[in-house]
Amino acid sequence: MKPIVISYDCSDHDPIDGWIPDDAFDVDFSMNFTIGHDSKGGDNFQVRIVTPNNLHGKDSANHAIVLSQYSWPEVIAAVEVILEQCHGLNWAAISESLSQHMHWEYDSYQPYKGA
């Protein structure tokens, strides 16, 4: 089973796939990817898109795609590399693997056990 991008959005730059920054070497924003194993739906994963001059502190690259220079095709290529690395026998294994690279909407989720 291989994950696929169902959709994506960015509240800072809409539409993100047509946005051109003032400085391609000075970018820092977050966006959402809906990722699933078929086109029927998926889970939300948030990731930071950043260039190196905006990284500050040892954890600043966690859940981030770091690009030397911003371009939308490079973002998509980086996401595809992540998806290629995150395969599994079921969605639980895939989403857990993806959560190492992006913030998963169900990360640390604990089902309700009743009163």
Side-chain angles (χ1 to χ4, degrees), residues 77-104:
V79 170
E80 288 298 325
V81 167
I82 291 169
L83 297 181
E84 285 295 324
Q85 297 170 358
C86 299
H87 48 80
L89 297 175
N90 57 42
W91 182 247
I94 292 170
S95 57
E96 182 66 30
S97 183
L98 282 169
S99 73
Q100 302 304 307
H101 302 275
M102 302 178 182
H103 289 286
W104 180 34

Side-chain angles (χ1 to χ4, degrees), residues 12-24:
D12 292 330
H13 310 291
D14 184 30
I16 186 60
D17 51 0
W19 176 68
I20 299 172
D22 292 335
D23 182 350

Side-chain angles (χ1 to χ4, degrees), residues 31-111:
M31 65 176 300
N32 182 75
F33 286 91
T34 302
I35 300 173
H37 59 85
D38 59 34
S39 61
K40 295 177 185 171
D43 292 351
N44 291 312
F45 293 86
Q46 291 77 40
V47 65
R48 181 178 174 208
I49 310 298
V50 63
T51 50
N53 59 328
N54 288 303
L55 294 174
H56 308 288
K58 66 180 182 119
D59 295 329
S60 65
N62 288 351
H63 297 108
I65 293 174
V66 181
L67 302 172
S68 59
Q69 177 180 355
Y70 175 82
S71 78
W72 180 246
E74 289 296 321
V75 171
I76 294 299
V79 170
E80 288 298 325
V81 167
I82 291 169
L83 297 181
E84 285 295 324
Q85 297 170 358
C86 299
H87 48 80
L89 297 175
N90 57 42
W91 182 247
I94 292 170
S95 57
E96 182 66 30
S97 183
L98 282 169
S99 73
Q100 302 304 307
H101 302 275
M102 302 178 182
H103 289 286
W104 180 34
E105 69 177 316
Y106 295 112
D107 193 30
S108 301
Y109 171 75
Q110 296 294 318

